[in-house]
Structures are given as structure tokens and as C-alpha cells.
CSV table of all heavy atoms in Angstrom, one decimal:
chain,number,residue,atom,x,y,z
U,27,MET,N,3.5,6.0,-13.2
U,27,MET,CA,3.0,6.1,-11.9
U,27,MET,C,1.7,6.8,-12.0
U,27,MET,O,1.5,7.9,-12.3
U,27,MET,CB,4.0,7.0,-11.1
U,27,MET,CG,3.6,7.3,-9.7
U,27,MET,SD,4.8,8.1,-8.7
U,27,MET,CE,4.7,9.8,-9.4
U,28,ALA,N,0.7,6.0,-11.7
U,28,ALA,CA,-0.7,6.5,-11.6
U,28,ALA,C,-1.1,6.8,-10.2
U,28,ALA,O,-1.0,5.8,-9.4
U,28,ALA,CB,-1.7,5.5,-12.3
U,29,GLY,N,-1.5,8.0,-9.9
U,29,GLY,CA,-1.9,8.3,-8.5
U,29,GLY,C,-1.9,9.8,-8.3
U,29,GLY,O,-1.7,10.6,-9.3
U,30,THR,N,-2.3,10.2,-7.1
U,30,THR,CA,-2.4,11.7,-6.9
U,30,THR,C,-1.6,12.0,-5.7
U,30,THR,O,-1.3,11.2,-4.8
U,30,THR,CB,-3.8,12.1,-6.6
U,30,THR,OG1,-4.3,11.3,-5.5
U,30,THR,CG2,-4.7,11.8,-7.8
U,31,PHE,N,-1.1,13.3,-5.7
U,31,PHE,CA,-0.5,13.9,-4.5
U,31,PHE,C,-1.5,14.7,-3.8
U,31,PHE,O,-2.2,15.5,-4.5
U,31,PHE,CB,0.7,14.7,-4.9
U,31,PHE,CG,1.9,13.8,-5.3
U,31,PHE,CD1,2.1,13.5,-6.6
U,31,PHE,CD2,2.8,13.3,-4.3
U,31,PHE,CE1,3.1,12.7,-7.0
U,31,PHE,CE2,3.8,12.5,-4.7
U,31,PHE,CZ,4.0,12.2,-6.1
U,32,ILE,N,-1.7,14.6,-2.5
U,32,ILE,CA,-2.8,15.2,-1.7
U,32,ILE,C,-2.2,16.0,-0.6
U,32,ILE,O,-1.2,15.5,0.1
U,32,ILE,CB,-3.7,14.1,-1.2
U,32,ILE,CG1,-4.3,13.3,-2.3
U,32,ILE,CG2,-4.8,14.8,-0.4
U,32,ILE,CD1,-4.9,12.0,-1.8
U,33,ARG,N,-2.7,17.2,-0.4
U,33,ARG,CA,-2.3,18.0,0.8
U,33,ARG,C,-3.3,17.7,1.9
U,33,ARG,O,-4.5,17.9,1.7
U,33,ARG,CB,-2.3,19.5,0.5
U,33,ARG,CG,-1.8,20.4,1.6
U,33,ARG,CD,-1.8,21.9,1.3
U,33,ARG,NE,-1.1,22.2,0.1
U,33,ARG,CZ,0.2,22.4,0.0
U,33,ARG,NH1,1.0,22.4,1.1
U,33,ARG,NH2,0.8,22.7,-1.2
U,34,VAL,N,-2.7,17.2,3.0
U,34,VAL,CA,-3.6,16.8,4.2
U,34,VAL,C,-3.2,17.6,5.4
U,34,VAL,O,-2.1,17.9,5.7
U,34,VAL,CB,-3.3,15.3,4.5
U,34,VAL,CG1,-4.1,14.8,5.7
U,34,VAL,CG2,-3.7,14.4,3.3
U,35,ARG,N,-4.3,18.1,6.1
U,35,ARG,CA,-4.1,18.8,7.4
U,35,ARG,C,-4.2,17.9,8.5
U,35,ARG,O,-5.2,17.1,8.7
U,35,ARG,CB,-5.1,19.9,7.5
U,35,ARG,CG,-5.0,20.8,8.8
U,35,ARG,CD,-6.0,21.9,8.9
U,35,ARG,NE,-5.8,22.8,7.8
U,35,ARG,CZ,-6.8,23.2,7.0
U,35,ARG,NH1,-8.0,22.7,7.0
U,35,ARG,NH2,-6.5,24.1,6.0
U,36,CYS,N,-3.2,17.9,9.4
U,36,CYS,CA,-3.2,17.1,10.6
U,36,CYS,C,-4.3,17.5,11.6
U,36,CYS,O,-4.5,18.7,11.8
U,36,CYS,CB,-1.8,17.2,11.3
U,36,CYS,SG,-1.7,16.2,12.8
U,37,ASP,N,-5.0,16.5,12.1
U,37,ASP,CA,-6.1,16.8,13.0
U,37,ASP,C,-5.6,17.4,14.4
U,37,ASP,O,-6.3,18.1,15.1
U,37,ASP,CB,-7.0,15.6,13.3
U,37,ASP,CG,-7.8,15.2,12.1
U,37,ASP,OD1,-8.1,16.2,11.3
U,37,ASP,OD2,-8.2,14.1,11.9
U,38,ASP,N,-4.4,17.0,14.8
U,38,ASP,CA,-3.8,17.3,16.1
U,38,ASP,C,-3.2,18.7,16.1
U,38,ASP,O,-3.4,19.5,17.0
U,38,ASP,CB,-2.8,16.2,16.5
U,38,ASP,CG,-3.5,14.9,16.8
U,38,ASP,OD1,-4.7,14.9,17.0
U,38,ASP,OD2,-2.8,13.9,16.7
U,39,CYS,N,-2.3,19.0,15.1
U,39,CYS,CA,-1.5,20.2,15.2
U,39,CYS,C,-1.8,21.2,14.0
U,39,CYS,O,-1.1,22.2,14.0
U,39,CYS,CB,0.0,19.9,15.2
U,39,CYS,SG,0.6,19.2,13.7
U,40,GLU,N,-2.7,20.9,13.1
U,40,GLU,CA,-3.1,21.7,12.0
U,40,GLU,C,-1.9,21.9,10.9
U,40,GLU,O,-2.0,22.8,10.1
U,40,GLU,CB,-3.5,23.1,12.4
U,40,GLU,CG,-4.7,23.1,13.4
U,40,GLU,CD,-6.0,22.5,12.8
U,40,GLU,OE1,-6.3,22.8,11.6
U,40,GLU,OE2,-6.7,21.7,13.4
U,41,ASN,N,-0.9,21.1,11.0
U,41,ASN,CA,0.2,21.1,10.0
U,41,ASN,C,-0.3,20.6,8.7
U,41,ASN,O,-1.1,19.6,8.7
U,41,ASN,CB,1.4,20.3,10.5
U,41,ASN,CG,2.5,20.2,9.5
U,41,ASN,OD1,2.9,21.2,8.9
U,41,ASN,ND2,3.0,19.0,9.2
U,42,GLU,N,0.0,21.2,7.6
U,42,GLU,CA,-0.3,20.7,6.3
U,42,GLU,C,0.9,20.0,5.6
U,42,GLU,O,2.0,20.6,5.6
U,42,GLU,CB,-0.8,21.8,5.4
U,42,GLU,CG,-2.2,22.4,5.8
U,42,GLU,CD,-2.7,23.4,4.9
U,42,GLU,OE1,-2.1,23.7,3.9
U,42,GLU,OE2,-3.8,24.0,5.3
U,43,GLN,N,0.6,18.8,5.1
U,43,GLN,CA,1.7,18.0,4.5
U,43,GLN,C,1.2,17.4,3.2
U,43,GLN,O,0.1,17.0,3.1
U,43,GLN,CB,2.1,17.0,5.5
U,43,GLN,CG,3.3,16.2,5.3
U,43,GLN,CD,3.8,15.4,6.5
U,43,GLN,OE1,3.7,15.9,7.6
U,43,GLN,NE2,4.3,14.2,6.3
U,44,VAL,N,2.1,17.3,2.2
U,44,VAL,CA,1.8,16.7,1.0
U,44,VAL,C,2.2,15.2,1.0
U,44,VAL,O,3.3,14.9,1.4
U,44,VAL,CB,2.5,17.4,-0.2
U,44,VAL,CG1,2.2,16.7,-1.5
U,44,VAL,CG2,2.0,18.8,-0.3
U,45,LEU,N,1.3,14.3,0.6
U,45,LEU,CA,1.6,12.9,0.6
U,45,LEU,C,1.0,12.2,-0.6
U,45,LEU,O,0.1,12.8,-1.3
U,45,LEU,CB,1.2,12.2,1.9
U,45,LEU,CG,-0.3,12.4,2.3
U,45,LEU,CD1,-1.1,11.2,1.9
U,45,LEU,CD2,-0.3,12.5,3.8
U,46,PHE,N,1.5,11.1,-1.0
U,46,PHE,CA,1.0,10.3,-2.1
U,46,PHE,C,-0.2,9.6,-1.8
U,46,PHE,O,-0.3,8.9,-0.7
U,46,PHE,CB,2.1,9.4,-2.6
U,46,PHE,CG,1.8,8.7,-3.9
U,46,PHE,CD1,1.6,9.5,-5.0
U,46,PHE,CD2,1.8,7.3,-4.0
U,46,PHE,CE1,1.3,8.8,-6.3
U,46,PHE,CE2,1.6,6.7,-5.2
U,46,PHE,CZ,1.3,7.5,-6.3
U,47,GLY,N,-1.2,9.6,-2.6
U,47,GLY,CA,-2.5,9.0,-2.3
U,47,GLY,C,-2.5,7.5,-2.2
U,47,GLY,O,-3.3,6.9,-1.5
U,48,LYS,N,-1.5,6.9,-2.8
U,48,LYS,CA,-1.3,5.4,-2.7
U,48,LYS,C,-0.1,5.1,-1.9
U,48,LYS,O,0.8,4.3,-2.3
U,48,LYS,CB,-1.2,4.8,-4.1
U,48,LYS,CG,-2.5,4.9,-4.9
U,48,LYS,CD,-2.3,4.3,-6.3
U,48,LYS,CE,-3.6,4.3,-7.0
U,48,LYS,NZ,-3.5,3.6,-8.3
U,49,ALA,N,0.0,5.7,-0.7
U,49,ALA,CA,1.2,5.5,0.1
U,49,ALA,C,1.4,4.0,0.4
U,49,ALA,O,0.4,3.3,0.8
U,49,ALA,CB,1.1,6.3,1.4
U,50,ALA,N,2.6,3.5,0.3
U,50,ALA,CA,2.9,2.1,0.6
U,50,ALA,C,3.4,1.9,2.0
U,50,ALA,O,3.6,0.7,2.4
U,50,ALA,CB,4.0,1.6,-0.4
U,51,SER,N,3.6,2.9,2.8
U,51,SER,CA,4.0,2.8,4.2
U,51,SER,C,3.2,3.9,5.0
U,51,SER,O,2.7,4.8,4.4
U,51,SER,CB,5.5,3.0,4.3
U,51,SER,OG,5.9,4.3,3.9
U,52,THR,N,3.2,3.7,6.3
U,52,THR,CA,2.5,4.7,7.1
U,52,THR,C,3.2,6.0,7.0
U,52,THR,O,4.4,6.1,7.1
U,52,THR,CB,2.5,4.2,8.6
U,52,THR,OG1,1.9,2.9,8.6
U,52,THR,CG2,1.8,5.1,9.5
U,53,VAL,N,2.4,7.1,6.9
U,53,VAL,CA,2.9,8.4,6.8
U,53,VAL,C,2.5,9.2,8.1
U,53,VAL,O,1.3,9.2,8.5
U,53,VAL,CB,2.3,9.2,5.6
U,53,VAL,CG1,2.8,10.6,5.6
U,53,VAL,CG2,2.6,8.5,4.3
U,54,ASN,N,3.5,9.7,8.8
U,54,ASN,CA,3.3,10.4,10.0
U,54,ASN,C,3.5,11.9,9.8
U,54,ASN,O,4.3,12.3,9.0
U,54,ASN,CB,4.3,9.9,11.1
U,54,ASN,CG,4.1,8.5,11.5
U,54,ASN,OD1,2.9,8.0,11.5
U,54,ASN,ND2,5.1,7.8,11.7
U,55,CYS,N,2.9,12.7,10.7
U,55,CYS,CA,3.0,14.1,10.6
U,55,CYS,C,4.4,14.5,11.0
U,55,CYS,O,5.0,14.0,11.9
U,55,CYS,CB,2.0,14.8,11.6
U,55,CYS,SG,2.2,16.6,11.7
U,56,ALA,N,5.0,15.4,10.2
U,56,ALA,CA,6.4,15.8,10.4
U,56,ALA,C,6.6,16.7,11.7
U,56,ALA,O,7.6,16.8,12.2
U,56,ALA,CB,6.9,16.6,9.2
U,57,VAL,N,5.5,17.3,12.2
U,57,VAL,CA,5.5,18.1,13.4
U,57,VAL,C,5.3,17.3,14.7
U,57,VAL,O,6.1,17.3,15.6
U,57,VAL,CB,4.6,19.3,13.2
U,57,VAL,CG1,4.5,20.2,14.5
U,57,VAL,CG2,4.9,20.2,12.0
U,58,CYS,N,4.1,16.7,14.7
U,58,CYS,CA,3.7,16.0,16.0
U,58,CYS,C,3.8,14.5,16.0
U,58,CYS,O,3.7,13.9,17.0
U,58,CYS,CB,2.3,16.4,16.4
U,58,CYS,SG,1.0,15.8,15.3
U,59,GLY,N,4.0,13.9,14.8
U,59,GLY,CA,4.2,12.5,14.7
U,59,GLY,C,2.9,11.6,14.7
U,59,GLY,O,3.0,10.4,14.6
U,60,SER,N,1.7,12.2,14.6
U,60,SER,CA,0.5,11.5,14.5
U,60,SER,C,0.4,10.9,13.1
U,60,SER,O,0.9,11.4,12.2
U,60,SER,CB,-0.7,12.3,14.9
U,60,SER,OG,-0.9,13.3,13.9
U,61,THR,N,-0.4,9.8,13.0
U,61,THR,CA,-0.6,9.2,11.7
U,61,THR,C,-1.5,9.9,10.7
U,61,THR,O,-2.6,10.3,11.1
U,61,THR,CB,-1.1,7.7,11.9
U,61,THR,OG1,-0.3,7.0,12.8
U,61,THR,CG2,-1.2,7.0,10.6
U,62,LEU,N,-1.0,10.2,9.5
U,62,LEU,CA,-1.8,10.9,8.5
U,62,LEU,C,-2.4,9.9,7.5
U,62,LEU,O,-3.4,10.2,7.0
U,62,LEU,CB,-0.9,12.0,7.8
U,62,LEU,CG,-0.5,13.2,8.6
U,62,LEU,CD1,0.4,14.1,7.8
U,62,LEU,CD2,-1.6,13.9,9.2
U,63,ALA,N,-1.6,8.9,7.2
U,63,ALA,CA,-2.1,7.9,6.2
U,63,ALA,C,-1.6,6.5,6.6
U,63,ALA,O,-0.5,6.3,7.0
U,63,ALA,CB,-1.6,8.3,4.8
U,64,THR,N,-2.5,5.5,6.3
U,64,THR,CA,-2.2,4.1,6.5
U,64,THR,C,-2.4,3.4,5.2
U,64,THR,O,-3.4,3.6,4.5
U,64,THR,CB,-3.2,3.5,7.6
U,64,THR,OG1,-3.2,4.4,8.7
U,64,THR,CG2,-2.8,2.1,8.0
U,65,PRO,N,-1.4,2.5,4.8
U,65,PRO,CA,-1.5,1.8,3.5
U,65,PRO,C,-2.6,0.7,3.6
U,65,PRO,O,-2.8,0.1,4.6
U,65,PRO,CB,-0.2,1.2,3.3
U,65,PRO,CG,0.4,1.1,4.7
U,65,PRO,CD,-0.2,2.3,5.5
U,66,THR,N,-3.3,0.5,2.4
U,66,THR,CA,-4.3,-0.5,2.4
U,66,THR,C,-4.1,-1.4,1.2
U,66,THR,O,-5.0,-2.3,1.0
U,66,THR,CB,-5.7,0.1,2.3
U,66,THR,OG1,-5.8,0.9,1.1
U,66,THR,CG2,-6.0,1.0,3.5
U,67,GLY,N,-3.1,-1.3,0.4
U,67,GLY,CA,-2.9,-2.1,-0.8
U,67,GLY,C,-3.3,-1.3,-2.0
U,67,GLY,O,-3.1,-1.8,-3.1
U,68,GLY,N,-4.0,-0.2,-1.9
U,68,GLY,CA,-4.5,0.6,-3.0
U,68,GLY,C,-4.4,2.0,-2.5
U,68,GLY,O,-3.3,2.5,-2.1
U,69,GLU,N,-5.5,2.7,-2.6
U,69,GLU,CA,-5.6,4.1,-2.0
U,69,GLU,C,-5.4,4.0,-0.5
U,69,GLU,O,-6.0,3.2,0.2
U,69,GLU,CB,-6.9,4.8,-2.3
U,69,GLU,CG,-7.1,5.1,-3.8
U,69,GLU,CD,-6.2,6.2,-4.3
U,69,GLU,OE1,-6.0,7.1,-3.5
U,69,GLU,OE2,-5.8,6.1,-5.4
U,70,ALA,N,-4.5,4.9,0.0
U,70,ALA,CA,-4.3,4.9,1.5
U,70,ALA,C,-5.5,5.5,2.2
U,70,ALA,O,-6.2,6.3,1.7
U,70,ALA,CB,-3.0,5.8,1.7
U,71,THR,N,-5.6,5.0,3.5
U,71,THR,CA,-6.7,5.6,4.3
U,71,THR,C,-6.1,6.8,5.0
U,71,THR,O,-5.1,6.8,5.6
U,71,THR,CB,-7.1,4.6,5.4
U,71,THR,OG1,-7.5,3.4,4.8
U,71,THR,CG2,-8.1,5.1,6.3
U,72,LEU,N,-6.8,8.0,4.8
U,72,LEU,CA,-6.3,9.2,5.3
U,72,LEU,C,-6.9,9.5,6.7
U,72,LEU,O,-8.1,9.3,6.9
U,72,LEU,CB,-6.6,10.4,4.3
U,72,LEU,CG,-6.1,10.2,2.9
U,72,LEU,CD1,-6.6,11.3,2.0
U,72,LEU,CD2,-4.6,10.1,2.9
U,73,HIS,N,-6.1,10.0,7.6
U,73,HIS,CA,-6.6,10.3,9.0
U,73,HIS,C,-6.6,11.8,9.3
U,73,HIS,O,-6.6,12.2,10.4
U,73,HIS,CB,-5.7,9.6,10.0
U,73,HIS,CG,-5.7,8.1,9.8
U,73,HIS,ND1,-6.7,7.3,10.1
U,73,HIS,CD2,-4.7,7.3,9.2
U,73,HIS,CE1,-6.4,6.0,9.8
U,73,HIS,NE2,-5.2,6.0,9.2
U,74,GLY,N,-6.6,12.6,8.2
U,74,GLY,CA,-6.6,14.1,8.4
U,74,GLY,C,-7.6,14.7,7.4
U,74,GLY,O,-8.3,13.9,6.7
U,75,ASP,N,-7.7,16.0,7.4
U,75,ASP,CA,-8.6,16.6,6.4
U,75,ASP,C,-7.9,16.9,5.1
U,75,ASP,O,-6.8,17.4,5.1
U,75,ASP,CB,-9.0,18.0,7.0
U,75,ASP,CG,-9.8,17.8,8.3
U,75,ASP,OD1,-10.6,16.8,8.4
U,75,ASP,OD2,-9.7,18.7,9.2
U,76,VAL,N,-8.5,16.5,4.0
U,76,VAL,CA,-7.9,16.8,2.7
U,76,VAL,C,-8.1,18.3,2.3
U,76,VAL,O,-9.2,18.7,2.3
U,76,VAL,CB,-8.5,15.9,1.6
U,76,VAL,CG1,-8.0,16.2,0.2
U,76,VAL,CG2,-8.3,14.4,1.9
U,77,VAL,N,-7.0,19.0,2.1
U,77,VAL,CA,-7.1,20.4,1.8
U,77,VAL,C,-7.2,20.6,0.3
U,77,VAL,O,-8.1,21.4,-0.2
U,77,VAL,CB,-5.8,21.1,2.3
U,77,VAL,CG1,-5.8,22.6,1.9
U,77,VAL,CG2,-5.7,21.0,3.8
U,78,GLU,N,-6.4,19.9,-0.5
U,78,GLU,CA,-6.5,20.0,-1.9
U,78,GLU,C,-5.7,18.8,-2.6
U,78,GLU,O,-4.9,18.2,-2.0
U,78,GLU,CB,-5.9,21.3,-2.4
U,78,GLU,CG,-4.4,21.4,-2.2
U,78,GLU,CD,-3.7,22.6,-2.8
U,78,GLU,OE1,-4.2,23.0,-3.9
U,78,GLU,OE2,-2.8,23.1,-2.2
U,79,VAL,N,-6.1,18.6,-3.8
U,79,VAL,CA,-5.3,17.6,-4.6
U,79,VAL,C,-4.2,18.5,-5.4
U,79,VAL,O,-4.6,19.3,-6.1
U,79,VAL,CB,-6.2,16.9,-5.7
U,79,VAL,CG1,-5.4,16.0,-6.6
U,79,VAL,CG2,-7.3,16.1,-4.9
U,80,VAL,N,-3.0,18.2,-5.0
U,80,VAL,CA,-1.9,19.0,-5.5
U,80,VAL,C,-1.6,18.6,-7.0
U,80,VAL,O,-1.5,19.5,-7.8
U,80,VAL,CB,-0.6,18.8,-4.7
U,80,VAL,CG1,0.6,19.6,-5.3
U,80,VAL,CG2,-0.9,19.2,-3.2
U,81,GLU,N,-1.5,17.3,-7.3
U,81,GLU,CA,-1.3,16.9,-8.7
U,81,GLU,C,-2.0,15.6,-8.9
U,81,GLU,O,-1.8,14.7,-8.2
U,81,GLU,CB,0.3,16.8,-8.9
U,81,GLU,CG,0.6,16.3,-10.3
U,81,GLU,CD,2.1,16.2,-10.5
U,81,GLU,OE1,2.9,16.7,-9.7
U,81,GLU,OE2,2.5,15.5,-11.4
U,82,ALA,N,-2.8,15.6,-10.0
U,82,ALA,CA,-3.5,14.4,-10.3
U,82,ALA,C,-2.9,13.8,-11.7
U,82,ALA,O,-2.7,14.6,-12.6
U,82,ALA,CB,-5.0,14.6,-10.5
U,83,ARG,N,-2.7,12.6,-11.8
U,83,ARG,CA,-2.2,12.0,-13.0
U,83,ARG,C,-3.2,10.9,-13.5
U,83,ARG,O,-3.8,10.3,-12.8
U,83,ARG,CB,-0.8,11.3,-12.7
U,83,ARG,CG,0.2,12.3,-12.4
U,83,ARG,CD,1.5,11.7,-12.3
U,83,ARG,NE,2.5,12.7,-12.1
U,83,ARG,CZ,3.8,12.5,-12.3
U,83,ARG,NH1,4.2,11.4,-12.8
U,83,ARG,NH2,4.6,13.5,-12.1
């Protein structure tokens, strides 16, 4: 599995959530439900602020 785990801050509620950089499905915020990542066939398009790269492989 080649990819990275990224901590993203939601623009709407400031919740921080860890997600996979190559997400294969839409990732929603666990608190408010807004979209954090949209799949593109490779690296996901992120819709929040990247706080840190948690684990890079």
C-alpha cells in the first residue's frame, strides 16, 4: 500500500480527522458531515486544511 495518511481540519467546524491521501470514496467530516475529500482516481482532492502528514510510506 503506497500512500499517505493526512490529518485534515474541516473548514466548517474545525474538527481534525485523519484520512488516506488516496481515498477511493468520498470522506465526510464525522462531526458536521461536510465533504473533506473527493476521490479522483489517484490522490484525493482535499476540501479542508492539511494539518500534518501522519504517516508517509
Side-chain angles (χ1 to χ4, degrees):
M27 176 173 74
T30 57
F31 287 93
I32 304 167
R33 183 179 309 273
V34 178
R35 180 180 296 124
C36 178
D37 289 334
D38 295 336
C39 69
E40 302 297 320
N41 177 48
E42 292 184 3
Q43 191 166 321
V44 176
L45 53 97
F46 188 57
K48 293 184 178 182
S51 60
T52 302
V53 179
N54 295 323
C55 177
V57 175
C58 69
S60 66
T61 303
L62 293 178
T64 308
T66 61
E69 292 291 323
T71 302
L72 303 176
H73 303 286
D75 299 325
V76 176
V77 177
E78 69 175 322
V79 176
V80 177
E81 181 179 340
R83 292 185 176 201

